[in-house]
Amino acid sequence: MAQWTSAVGAPQLARLLRSQDPRDAELTAAGRRLPAYRSLADGVRLLVLEGRVPVAARLPAERELAGALGVSRTTVAAAYEALRAEGFLESRRGSGSWTAVPAGNPLPTRGLEPLPPEAGGSVIDLGCAALPAPEPWLTRAVQGAMADLPLYAHTHGDYPAGLPVLRRALADRYTARGIPTMPEQIMVTTGAMGAVAAICKLCTGPGERVAVDSPSYTNILQLMRDAGARLVPVALTERLGGWDIPAWRQVMRDAAPRMAYVVADFHNPTGTLATEDQRRRMVDAARAAGTLLVVDETMTELRLDDDPEPPRPVCAFDPAGSSVITVGSASKAFWAGMRIGWVRAAPDLIRSLVAARAYSDLGSPVLEQLAIASLLDSGGWEEAVAIRRDEARRNRDAIVGALRRALPDWEFTVPHGGLTLWVRTGGLSGSRIAEAGERLGVRVPSGPRFGVDGAFEGYVRLPFTVGGAVAEEAADRLANAARLVAGGHTTGVESVRTLVA
């Protein structure tokens, strides 16, 4: 019986391998060129550790991969043998070879998963862009929800569209922002991920094209891949310049995507803020192409600087919601443990989303909805978000200062909001830095997690979740990881142990 659960074709594996930095794959610590088989084995191992090639994925036959890479079959056979010896490949006659992870190595994740709490004492977690709960506002919100709960305890408790009190509060909030909104245009979801999942399920089918920012939020990209979407990346402009509208127009015209997913406000991972003119032109382009524009507003509240002047929301240029679907969430602005999100769209689309929900999660928890409604109605939301902005601003400034001291060759543009810094790693492999950092006690996601088909190897994402001495220590550990990568020692556990000691 075969032990593999998926397969990677030779052209796909060759494309992933070529996306890696060739300077990083070819040189040893002494500056000598690696043998071809060793370079190939290291490349496959990194793809497995990064999660871009799943564990238990069947690899191509030696002859097929040799042809796709333009190398000899002997080279591929030697690379496979090296991977088997290191525990990253298993084989069985008649079943082929499939990827594995040696005992003691953590399984790679396809997206970003929070570090288990028990590991927090030894590892600085820069993987998850989420801050601790703001107190006492969380406790007050839950206490307010408990006071209101008896009114709902006598009902069935199923509200597929969301509690009327929360739908009304969210609609009023959009109206106050200058976009008149009725409660019928709101559906409450289980976080922003639940919102995007519901939209994808209703509005796209397997094999349909979905255009996305490049880079974009890794968990959403994986959600769409799992739904069978064909992702079409559209690059952002350099240095937080926003959307490349001519490129978007061309993609919408040539690829005819059914849907587009974008983050206009303090983009994750880059921190980009789209200008008002870009927003208007993006909506015009989507409307002309018949593309449904899904706009993620989860970072909107996290404006950390007074300049520039905030642009109007994207949905202001499509107030009826016929071309623009807006997704919001309490998770980033308030607390990730409060899994409440929402969708704003045309009433008929909301009705369709609600009807389809009967076959998924039925509805969001009543108590959490009441807590968010209590925050919005009492003014506690604004107070809590103000505290959240102050904390994120301090952390951002601490991380920026620490990086400039410890890693002056790394490049970035400081964003005016959001929770993430997109960093170019001075020509080094972000995947190798992430691998070395994990061993040195700092967890950081590498750039390829945020791209399509292995892009952004020369980047890492750093969230604004630590400050003070912890930010300084994180930068020092990343600097040590960078030195290991530059010296070619990332495959040697003993060299990492020596540096830590």
Side-chain angles (χ1 to χ4, degrees), residues 281-339:
R281 294 165 65 196
M282 177 71 89
V283 173
D284 291 344
R287 185 181 292 117
T291 297
L292 196 61
L293 188 62
V294 178
V295 180
D296 189 331
E297 285 194 339
T298 54
M299 295 286 190
T300 298
E301 302 268 10
L302 295 173
R303 171 173 292 276
L304 306 184
D305 299 323
D306 293 334
D307 293 325
E309 186 72 19
R312 285 181 289 172
V314 178
C315 59
F317 304 101
D318 179 46
S322 58
S323 298
V324 176
I325 302 178
T326 303
V327 171
S329 172
S331 297
K332 297 299 185 185
F334 186 71
W335 184 45
M338 192 66 75
R339 304 305 304 161

Side-chain angles (χ1 to χ4, degrees), residues 229-388:
R230 296 170 60 189
L231 300 182
V232 182
V234 186
L236 295 169
T237 59
E238 291 291 328
R239 298 192 176 278
L240 310 188
W243 292 321
D244 185 339
I245 298 300
W248 271 101
R249 287 189 182 278
Q250 181 176 351
V251 164
M252 289 180 181
R253 181 181 65 248
D254 296 346
R258 174 71 184 91
M259 190 174 87
Y261 168 80
V262 296
V263 185
D265 296 281
F266 311 122
H267 175 269
N268 186 356
T270 67
T272 294
L273 177 68
T275 67
E276 184 156 318
D277 181 62
Q278 288 170 344
R279 295 167 192 239
R280 179 187 296 105
R281 294 165 65 196
M282 177 71 89
V283 173
D284 291 344
R287 185 181 292 117
T291 297
L292 196 61
L293 188 62
V294 178
V295 180
D296 189 331
E297 285 194 339
T298 54
M299 295 286 190
T300 298
E301 302 268 10
L302 295 173
R303 171 173 292 276
L304 306 184
D305 299 323
D306 293 334
D307 293 325
E309 186 72 19
R312 285 181 289 172
V314 178
C315 59
F317 304 101
D318 179 46
S322 58
S323 298
V324 176
I325 302 178
T326 303
V327 171
S329 172
S331 297
K332 297 299 185 185
F334 186 71
W335 184 45
M338 192 66 75
R339 304 305 304 161
I340 295 296
W342 54 87
V343 177
R344 182 199 181 275
D348 59 338
L349 182 56
I350 292 295
R351 286 193 292 270
S352 297
L353 286 168
V354 171
R357 197 172 190 181
Y359 308 103
S360 56
D361 66 352
L362 293 176
S364 300
V366 170
L367 187 65
E368 293 185 18
Q369 292 187 71
L370 288 173
I372 297 299
S374 173
L375 281 167
L376 292 172
D377 290 340
S378 68
W381 177 271
E382 298 295 345
E383 295 173 358
V385 170
I387 296 298
R388 173 67 81 236

Side-chain angles (χ1 to χ4, degrees), residues 19-40:
S19 73
Q20 296 172 334
D21 189 336
R23 295 171 301 174
D24 200 54
E26 291 178 354
L27 298 180
T28 67
R32 295 187 299 272
R33 190 173 295 274
L34 286 172
Y37 85 89
R38 184 67 261 173
S39 177
L40 175 56

Side-chain angles (χ1 to χ4, degrees), residues 12 23 29 51 55 76 84 99 105 129 147 186 190 192 197 403 438 494:
Q12 179 187 5
R23 295 171 301 174
V55 174
V76 177
R84 277 189 286 270
T99 57
N105 281 62
I186 301 292
T190 306
L403 286 177
E438 190 96 18
E494 289 307 316

